Amino acid sequence: MTLDISSAPIASDTNDHAPPGPRARWAQDLSASLVVFLIAVPFSLGIALATGAPLTAGLAAAAVGGLVVGFLGGSTLQVSGPSAALTVITAGLISQYGWQATCAVTLAAGLLQLLLGARRVARTALAVSPAIVHGMLAGIGLTIALAQLHVVLGGSPQSSAPANLLALPGQLAGSHPPAVAVGTVTAALLVIWPRLGRLPGRAGALGARLAKVPGPLVAVAVATSLAMALGLQLARVELPAWQPHDIVPQLPHGPIAGVLAAVLTVTAVASVESLLSAVAIDRMSHRTGDLDRELRGQGVANVVSGLLGGLPIAGGAVRSTANVRAGARTRWSSILHGVWVLAAALLLAGGLRRIPLAALAALVLVVGLQMVSFAHIRKVHRHREFPVYLATVLGVVLFGVLLGVALGAATAVLLALYRLTRAHVDVMPGPGGSFTVQTHGPLTFAAVPRLSRALAGIPGTAQVAVVHDGSFLDHAAYETLHSWRVGHLAAGGQVSMVTRRQDAEVLDPDGTVRTGSSPGPHRCRAWTPWVGHHCIEQQEDPHGRLLDGVRGFQLHTAPLVRPELARLAREGQTPSQLFLTCADSRMVTSMITNSGPGDLFTVRNVGNLVPAPFEPGAADDSVAAAVQYAVEALEVRSITVCGHSGCGAMKALLDGVHERPGPPTPLARWLRNGRGALDRLRRAPAEFTTRPVVDLVEQLCITNVVQQLDQLMANPAVERRVAEGTLRLVGMYFDFATAQAYVLDRESGRFSPVEALEGQPAGPAPCDTPERVNGIEQVSAVSAATGGDPRLAA
C-alpha cells in the first residue's frame, strides 16, 4: 500500500531500487571477472614462485579454481585458487617429496574433502578458535615474508623460517641492487596504490578513479616496464611447456605416517580457509551458501588440480572480496575469471616471461605481511585470547603449520582450564563491623584453599554477606561454605548467602532457595522499570527514582563492567559504527543492537535528521561535526540512520510546524531539515517488503531514513570514504509496537524485517553485505550497525 499526500507525478528515480535485469547482471559479472583476473594472474605466479613449484602450476590452479569451484561450489561469489595460507605447507612438501608427489598429496586431499563434504561436517570447521585461525595466518604470512625477502634481495630462500632469519644478515650484505630496486618499486606501489583516493581535493578524486585498477597488476606492470626500460639483468619468470608425463602424480616415498600427516594438513588448512572465507563472503553479499557443497566443490577442484599439475586450491578472501566489490552478481564472474586465466596461460606466455622474479617476490612479501592483521591482534587481546594467538604464530614460524596449530590448540585448552579453575574471592569491610565476601568465577575444589583463607580472616561475631556471581559451585566448595556458615552462626555471627543471577535469587548453602530483592524502595530486577510500570509508579519522585537506579548500578552492574570501562579509559574509544537515531526516550540503542560500552558512537537528535548544507537557515554544525569526527578521527566502518515508529518529529512535519507563519521557533528551524523527506514522500515513498505501512506517519518515518542517508552523502568525508569502499551507510527502522527492527533491503530498496536466527547465541545478527543504491551501501542485517567479524581477512 502506498499513501500519497499529493497528486504530483512520481519522478523517474522511483525505479532506482529495482533489481538489475539479466543483461545488466551479465555485464556486472563480466566486469567483475576481469577485475579478479587481473589480480589472480600475478598473485598465482607469486604463490607458485614462493612454493618452488613450476610457475605454470599457479596458473593451472587459478584456472581450475575458477572453473570447477565456480560451477560446483556452494558459495556463489567466492573465488578459489592457489592460497597464500598453503604456501609454506606446499613448499615443505615439494622440498621433502618432490613436485609430482606433491600433486598426489593435493589429489588425496581433494578426495578427503569430497568425503568430508559428503558426510556433511563442513560446519565443524567453524569451531576452530578465531585466535588460532588468525595466528596460523599471521605465522604463515611471516614465514612467507622472510622467504621472499631473500628473493627481493637477489638471493634464494632457505628451507625454513629460522634458517631464513639466520641467513638474512649475509643476504643483506650481498644483495643485488637491481633486484632490490624492482622489489622496492613493486612493494611501494602495492602499499600506496589503494591510498590514492585519500589525497585532498581533485587529486583525491583522480586517485580514487585510478585506484579502481587492481594494485597487483599496476605494481607488476610498472616493475616489469622499469626493468625492461633500464635493461636490468634480472631473473625472470620461466613458464615451461606443459608436458603431461612431467606432472603425473606419483606416490610419495617415505613413512606412511608422514604422508598421512601431509594429506591431513593440506585438507585441514584448505578446508578451514575455504569455509571461513565462504562464510565471510556470503555475509558480505547477503546470501546463504551451502558449506557442504562448497567443501565438495573444493575437493573436486583439488582432485583436478592434482591431476593437471596445479597447486593446492582454497577459497581466498582477497580474490573473493574483490569479486564482491567489483559488483559480481552470480557464479559466472568466478567461472569467467577462470576462462581468462586459462587464456592468459595459453596465449600470453611471452608477456608473462618478461616479469622479474623480484617483482613477484615483492608482491607475495606484501601479501604475507598483510596477513599479520593488527585489527585481529587487538580483537584477540580484547577477548583475552592473545596467548593462544602468540603461541600459534611462534609455533607456525618455528615448527611449521601443523605443529603450530597444535601448539595453539593446546594453549587454548590450558587457558580454558585455567579460567575454569580460577576464582577471585574479595573480602570487603562494611559499616558497623560487617563484611561482604564477593566471589567471581566458578568455585571448584581448586578455589577451596583461597576461599578458606578469606573466610578464616573474618571475626566470628561479624555480620557477613557472601555474594556469589552465579557461576559453577562444586561439592567441595559447597561443603566449605556450609561448614564455615554453621561454625560462624554457632559463634554468634550472622550470615546471608546471595547468588547474583538474572532472576535475583538468594541461595543458602543448606539447600533453601528463596526469592530475593535488590536494595531500594521497590522489589524490581534490573530491567523491570521498562517492563512493568508498576515499579516506577511506586516512586513519585523522579529524581529519587533516578538516584535509586544509580545506586542499583553501583551495587550490581558496576563491579561487572568496571574492568571493561577501565580498559576503555586507558585505551580511549575505538567504535566501529556511528549510530544516528532519534532523541525519543523509548529508543534504547544498546538494547536493540545488543551492544555495550565502546561499541557505538551515538548521535541523537529530534527526528534523526542530518542537516544538508544546501538547506538555508537550517544547517546545524553539531551533527556534521559529529559525523566528521566519527568518519575521520574514529574511522568508523559504518553509519546507521535509525528511525522509529510514532516519531513526534515526523508528525510535526506532516502538521506543517516548520512552515507556520511568524518568527520560527528553534524546533521549527530544526524541522526544516526534514523538508527533503516530505519531498521524497511525494515522489517515491518508502515501503516494507513484508507488510503495508500502518499510516502516513510511518511511511514518512521510513522515507525519512532513506532521505537522511542521501543527505549524509553531502558530507565530503562520508562521500570520500564511501567512494573508497571503506564505509557503509545503513538504513534502519524500529517498530515499538512489535519490537521489530527493519533494514533497507539490498534488492528492492524497501525495508525488510531482521529475523531471529534459531540456534544463534544472543547478540548481533551475522553481518550482511552492502548493495549500492544511489551511491549508498545498504545492509540487510542489524549487525551492520553493530559490526560483524569475519574470522578470515587474509
Side-chain angles (χ1 to χ4, degrees):
M1 177 178 67
T2 301
L3 300 176
D4 292 326
I5 62 174
S6 169
S7 60
I10 297 177
S12 59
D13 61 350
T14 54
N15 292 324
D16 288 342
H17 304 307
R23 180 176 298 179
R25 287 197 296 270
W26 266 103
Q28 289 173 311
D29 285 337
L30 178 61
S31 174
S33 70
L34 291 172
V35 171
V36 179
F37 157 72
L38 295 175
I39 294 175
V41 169
F43 188 74
S44 302
L45 291 173
I47 295 296
L49 172 68
T51 61
L55 296 186
T56 51
L59 297 178
V64 171
L67 292 169
V68 176
V69 184
F71 274 114
L72 302 178
S75 180
T76 305
L77 299 184
Q78 173 155 262
V79 181
S80 299
S83 166
L86 289 165
T87 301
V88 177
I89 300 170
T90 308
L93 292 176
I94 294 173
S95 63
Q96 183 174 0
Y97 298 112
W99 172 238
Q100 290 175 296
T102 301
C103 292
V105 171
T106 302
L107 189 154
L111 293 174
L112 185 54
Q113 285 180 310
L114 275 172
L115 177 62
L116 294 175
R119 298 291 297 174
R120 306 184 68 82
V121 297
R123 287 199 173 272
T124 59
L126 304 182
V128 180
S129 168
I132 295 176
V133 174
H134 297 320
M136 179 190 72
L137 293 172
I140 290 172
L142 290 174
T143 305
I144 292 171
L146 282 173
Q148 296 311 299
L149 182 57
H150 284 270
V151 181
V152 171
L153 294 173
S156 299
Q158 305 298 314
S159 58
S160 65
N164 280 319
L165 193 59
L166 292 175
L168 190 57
Q171 187 67 66
L172 288 170
S175 61
H176 185 51
V180 173
V182 169
T184 303
V185 169
T186 305
L189 283 172
L190 287 168
V191 173
I192 295 172
W193 197 258
R195 294 172 170 80
L196 292 179
R198 301 182 184 180
L199 297 174
R202 294 182 178 179
L206 177 60
R209 289 194 292 270
L210 290 175
K212 294 180 180 179
V213 181
L217 176 69
V218 174
V220 172
V222 171
T224 303
S225 301
L226 179 65
M228 293 175 60
L230 298 179
L232 300 179
Q233 298 299 317
L234 295 169
R236 300 182 185 273
V237 168
E238 295 181 5
L239 292 177
W242 186 78
Q243 299 293 338
H245 61 273
D246 292 334
I247 61 171
V248 174
Q250 295 181 358
L251 291 177
H253 297 288
I256 187 66
V259 176
L260 289 176
V263 173
L264 291 175
T265 302
V266 173
T267 302
V269 175
S271 300
V272 170
E273 183 183 12
S274 299
L275 294 175
L276 295 181
S277 177
V279 170
I281 296 304
D282 286 341
R283 289 176 178 176
M284 284 180 60
S285 56
H286 191 210
R287 298 165 189 263
T288 302
D290 185 338
L291 294 184
D292 292 302
R293 178 182 172 182
E294 178 66 23
L295 187 56
R296 293 192 296 270
Q298 296 289 340
V300 174
N302 276 309
V303 169
V304 175
S305 184
L307 290 173
L308 296 179
L311 292 170
I313 290 172
V318 174
R319 292 179 294 263
S320 303
T321 301
N323 191 38
V324 173
R325 289 180 176 173
R329 290 288 182 172
T330 69
R331 63 179 66 247
W332 280 104
S333 60
S334 175
I335 296 170
L336 289 174
H337 131 269
V339 173
W340 309 142
V341 173
L342 182 61
L346 297 176
L347 303 177
L348 301 179
L352 297 177
R353 288 190 177 97
R354 299 178 183 274
I355 300 175
L357 292 183
L360 294 180
L363 169 63
V364 181
L365 185 150
V366 172
V367 171
L369 293 178
Q370 289 174 344
M371 292 171 72
V372 185
S373 170
F374 289 100
H376 292 155
I377 294 175
R378 287 193 297 268
K379 191 167 296 181
V380 297
H381 183 269
R382 186 182 307 129
H383 291 90
R384 299 186 299 167
E385 297 287 336
F386 186 73
V388 178
Y389 177 90
L390 184 61
T392 307
V393 172
L394 294 178
V396 170
V397 171
L398 297 177
F399 309 116
V401 175
L402 189 61
L403 290 178
V405 170
L407 182 61
T411 305
V413 171
L414 292 176
L415 188 62
L417 290 175
Y418 171 78
R419 290 172 178 169
L420 184 63
T421 59
R422 184 69 177 173
H424 295 278
V425 181
D426 300 319
V427 179
M428 298 171 288
S434 64
F435 290 86
T436 298
V437 180
Q438 185 86 43
T439 67
H440 304 279
L443 288 179
T444 64
F445 65 91
V448 167
R450 190 180 303 110
L451 179 63
S452 299
R453 285 194 300 270
L455 296 176
I458 300 175
T461 59
Q463 180 179 352
V464 183
V466 180
V467 183
H468 185 41
D469 65 358
S471 299
F472 178 71
L473 179 73
D474 75 353
H475 185 70
Y478 168 83
E479 288 291 345
T480 301
L481 282 172
H482 181 68
S483 299
W484 172 83
R485 178 176 180 269
V486 171
H488 195 79
L489 292 175
Q494 299 181 11
V495 180
S496 62
M497 301 283 194
V498 181
T499 301
R500 295 297 183 196
R501 293 176 177 167
Q502 291 181 353
D503 52 4
E505 290 177 344
V506 175
L507 173 65
D508 284 339
D510 59 6
T512 303
V513 179
R514 52 194 174 85
T515 303
S517 62
S518 59
H522 51 70
R523 299 165 62 86
C524 294
R525 296 190 295 270
W527 286 101
T528 307
W530 62 266
V531 175
H533 288 284
H534 62 279
C535 292
I536 296 177
E537 292 166 358
Q538 291 179 6
Q539 179 89 253
E540 294 183 358
D541 179 17
H543 179 66
R545 185 171 70 247
L546 179 66
L547 290 181
D548 286 338
V550 175
R551 294 187 185 101
F553 165 80
Q554 294 297 149
L555 178 64
H556 302 293
T557 309
L560 302 177
V561 301
R562 187 173 289 117
E564 177 66 10
L565 292 180
R567 183 189 66 81
L568 292 172
R570 293 191 306 269
E571 300 177 2
Q573 62 170 333
T574 56
S576 57
Q577 297 87 29
L578 166 60
F579 200 85
L580 197 154
T581 189
C582 187
D584 193 296
S585 61
R586 298 167 294 179
M587 279 294 295
V588 186
T589 57
S590 59
M591 179 181 67
I592 66 173
T593 61
N594 201 23
S595 56
D599 291 340
L600 302 181
F601 185 74
T602 306
V603 175
R604 304 182 68 146
N605 62 51
V606 176
N608 47 273
L609 300 176
V610 181
F614 50 77
E615 289 282 356
D620 182 280
D621 284 342
S622 64
V623 177
V627 171
Q628 183 178 0
Y629 179 74
V631 172
E632 295 185 345
L634 299 178
E635 295 184 343
V636 296
R637 297 190 297 273
S638 72
I639 302 178
T640 299
V641 177
C642 182
H644 65 87
S645 59
C647 181
M650 300 301 104
K651 294 177 182 177
L653 278 172
L654 290 173
D655 291 341
V657 171
H658 59 296
E659 302 292 355
R660 289 177 181 173
T665 63
L667 177 61
R669 286 197 299 271
W670 172 254
L671 289 177
R672 289 175 181 173
N673 294 297
R675 288 182 294 193
L678 286 175
D679 293 338
R680 182 182 287 267
L681 183 65
R682 298 186 182 95
R683 297 183 290 106
E687 296 179 353
F688 295 101
T689 58
T690 58
R691 66 172 178 87
V693 294
V694 174
D695 53 24
L696 192 59
V697 174
E698 183 174 65
Q699 192 153 51
L700 180 57
C701 288
I702 58 177
T703 303
N704 178 61
V705 171
V706 181
Q707 177 63 28
Q708 300 314 310
L709 290 173
D710 281 347
Q711 293 183 188
L712 262 175
M713 289 294 288
N715 187 302
V718 174
E719 184 181 19
R720 175 178 56 80
R721 288 280 307 279
V722 169
E724 294 172 357
T726 59
L727 180 66
R728 298 176 181 175
L729 302 187
V730 184
M732 185 181 295
Y733 173 78
F734 188 75
D735 182 31
F736 290 127
T738 60
Q740 177 65 58
Y742 297 81
V743 291
L744 214 52
D745 184 81
R746 67 183 183 88
E747 293 288 346
S748 63
R750 298 186 293 175
F751 284 80
S752 301
V754 178
E755 302 293 345
L757 298 179
E758 295 184 4
Q760 287 289 100
C767 184
D768 291 284
T769 297
E771 187 67 26
R772 191 170 296 278
V773 180
N774 285 339
I776 298 173
E777 289 184 348
Q778 315 292 352
V779 177
S780 302
V782 68
S783 64
T786 59
D789 178 37
R791 294 161 55 183
L792 187 65

